[in-house]
Amino acid sequence: MTKNILEVDGLVQYFDRSRPFLERILTRARDMRVHAVNRVTFDVKEGEVFSLVGESGCGKSTTARTIVRLIDPKEGRIIFEGQDIAGLDQRQLLPFRPRIQMIFQNPYASLDPRQKVGEMIMEPLLFHGIAANRKEANARMIELLDMIGLHPEQAGRYPHQFSGGQRQRLGIARALATSPRFVVADEPVSALDVSVQAQVLNLMMDLRERLGLTCLFIAHDLSVVRHISDRVAIMYLGFIVEQGNRDDIFDAPLHPYTEALLAAAPSLEKRFIHVPLFGDVPSPLNLPTGCAFASRCPRRIGRCRDERPQLRESGGRRVACHLV
Ligand SMILES: Nc1ncnc2c1ncn2[C@@H]1O[C@H](COP(=O)(O)OP(=O)(O)OP(=O)(O)O)[C@@H](O)[C@H]1O
Ligand code: SF4
Ligand SMILES: [Mg+2]
């Protein structure tokens, strides 16, 4: 059986936002809490592409940023290669940093505009002692530029001198510089022009296969998710509502939200009953006591508003719905 490289268990993340001074005085209301990630549990097997899917604001990026420990988790365990990294401080995390890397959503904001791209790729190699000296780091940097289809002479340029697609290639090179085992790709092509999205995605998937990487992939585009994933988790209002093998999820979704999400995707061939997705996602400030999807669910029954369904095993997948 394939080993788990990552196990996320009961992960909780929230943000406290203070109310404006006058509102606090007049309403005596307490500060607000944005419940972004609610007891999220899943595992990623070595070598697979595991995709996290859901509408905007459902907590995908926050989950990703918490897993790579860019933000501290409030609760839960993040077991990477057998060790719980949830409670480690920045110094204790240092040995893990080269092995878990992240490719960010926005290649325009994620590269330092004042740093030449060659230096940017060499920096983690020197910092983590992966390259013994600048000469070795330089050789590895040129190898990485070649891998992403750029020339060595472009190493002396700044990020603004590259196109969006090239910048995201540079983001990929920087993430791969330390030879990670696990890469979290947060909507890596969504900020790019449609004409270059496929190129960058293909490059990423080629490199993934060549280097034997495991990937946690976050995306909006369900046709892409269907194309590249081994397993998929569907997220709604910070909860995972369904998780399973790619074909099970796409061919026979069990959770009403998964059905609605797939039915709403214009690019997918529909093999299931059409469930319309109406209304808005509830506010993450006040989580419903019952099922998170109850306000929009066409199949809602009496207990749905009061009792939150737990994520349970059902025929090789996990589903959180009272009807399943
Ligand atoms: N630093 C922060 N401070 C306060 N609230 C935040 C912060 N980061 C995220 N949030 C809130 O947490 C919730 C989840 O946001 P997140 O960015 O994780 O969603 P997402 O699924 O990645 O959305 P998108 O698909 O638009 O990228 C949102 O309600 C968002 O406003
Ligand atoms: S638990 Fe109820 S409201 Fe929630 S998805 Fe299932 S049927 Fe719909
Ligand atoms: Mg996001």
Side-chain angles (χ1 to χ4, degrees):
M1 219 173 76
T2 323
K3 255 182 22 191
N4 288 336
I5 190 164
L6 176 81
E7 289 165 36
V8 176
D9 180 20
L11 193 68
V12 174
Q13 187 60 273
Y14 52 78
F15 303 99
D16 286 326
R17 278 191 200 156
S18 50
R19 289 180 192 271
F21 176 72
L22 259 183
E23 188 182 323
R24 225 168 41 226
I25 300 294
L26 295 175
T27 64
R28 297 183 176 225
R30 282 181 306 164
D31 285 346
M32 299 173 284
R33 180 162 287 182
V34 183
H35 298 273
V37 180
N38 303 308
R39 306 222 166 274
V40 159
T41 296
F42 64 91
D43 51 65
V44 183
K45 297 186 195 312
E46 210 150 321
E48 77 171 345
V49 177
F50 186 97
S51 290
L52 206 51
V53 178
E55 284 169 285
S56 183
C58 73
K60 305 179 294 295
S61 296
T62 307
T63 305
R65 291 160 60 81
T66 309
I67 290 171
V68 301
R69 291 293 321 271
L70 289 177
I71 33 182
D72 294 334
K74 298 292 189 298
E75 276 179 54
R77 298 190 304 159
I78 304 164
I79 300 171
F80 179 71
E81 295 184 320
Q83 189 174 344
D84 189 356
I85 61 166
L88 302 187
D89 62 29
Q90 290 306 323
R91 191 184 52 79
Q92 292 166 322
L93 278 169
L94 270 181
F96 291 92
R97 293 274 179 223
R99 282 142 66 192
I100 315 178
Q101 287 289 319
M102 184 150 171
I103 300 169
F104 294 91
Q105 191 161 355
N106 188 343
Y108 300 92
S110 61
L111 307 181
D112 181 350
R114 290 155 306 180
Q115 199 176 29
K116 289 180 181 166
V117 299
E119 292 294 327
M120 179 192 77
I121 295 174
M122 284 162 60
E123 192 175 55
L125 294 168
L126 293 165
F127 179 79
H128 291 291
I130 295 166
N133 49 44
R134 281 191 67 84
K135 194 171 163 222
E136 229 180 274
N138 195 64
R140 171 87 178 127
M141 179 267 289
I142 289 171
E143 199 183 303
L144 283 156
L145 287 183
D146 183 54
M147 242 161 57
I148 57 159
L150 295 181
H151 299 293
E153 53 273 24
Q154 292 175 295
R157 295 191 190 168
Y158 290 94
H160 74 268
Q161 295 172 294
F162 292 90
S163 70
Q166 286 174 326
R167 277 188 232 192
Q168 195 54 311
R169 285 164 183 263
L170 288 162
I172 294 171
R174 188 178 54 178
L176 298 183
T178 57
S179 304
R181 303 214 39 232
F182 185 67
V183 172
V184 178
D186 184 6
E187 308 222 30
V189 295
S190 65
L192 302 179
D193 199 276
V194 179
S195 59
V196 294
Q197 285 188 353
Q199 270 177 28
V200 173
L201 209 59
N202 286 339
L203 170 78
M204 233 185 86
M205 288 302 128
D206 281 354
L207 291 174
R208 192 196 76 78
E209 205 160 312
R210 183 142 48 108
L211 305 172
L213 296 174
T214 307
C215 185
L216 175 61
F217 187 79
I218 291 168
H220 265 117
D221 187 335
L222 290 168
S223 57
V224 169
V225 171
R226 178 172 212 170
H227 184 61
I228 65 166
S229 320
D230 295 296
R231 292 189 304 142
V232 178
I234 311 287
M235 231 176 148
Y236 186 82
L237 201 65
F239 294 91
I240 289 193
V241 296
E242 182 163 5
Q243 185 199 311
N245 290 329
R246 182 251 328 253
D247 291 341
D248 289 343
I249 297 276
F250 279 88
D251 294 341
L254 290 177
H255 195 283
Y257 177 62
T258 316
E259 273 190 78
L261 201 62
L262 299 188
S267 52
L268 293 179
E269 182 196 340
K270 311 290 184 319
R271 297 190 205 164
F272 39 85
I273 310 156
H274 184 83
V275 178
L277 194 56
F278 56 87
D280 293 324
V281 183
S283 163
L285 290 173
N286 301 303
L287 288 184
T289 27
C291 172
F293 190 50
S295 62
R296 300 166 90 191
C297 182
R299 306 238 168 95
R300 190 178 56 228
I301 53 171
R303 61 199 274 227
C304 296
R305 290 245 188 227
D306 309 317
E307 203 184 311
R308 186 170 294 155
Q310 300 302 309
L311 198 62
R312 289 198 195 90
E313 293 279 343
S314 170
R317 68 178 111 173
R318 290 176 174 175
V319 189
C321 172
H322 292 311
L323 298 183
V324 180

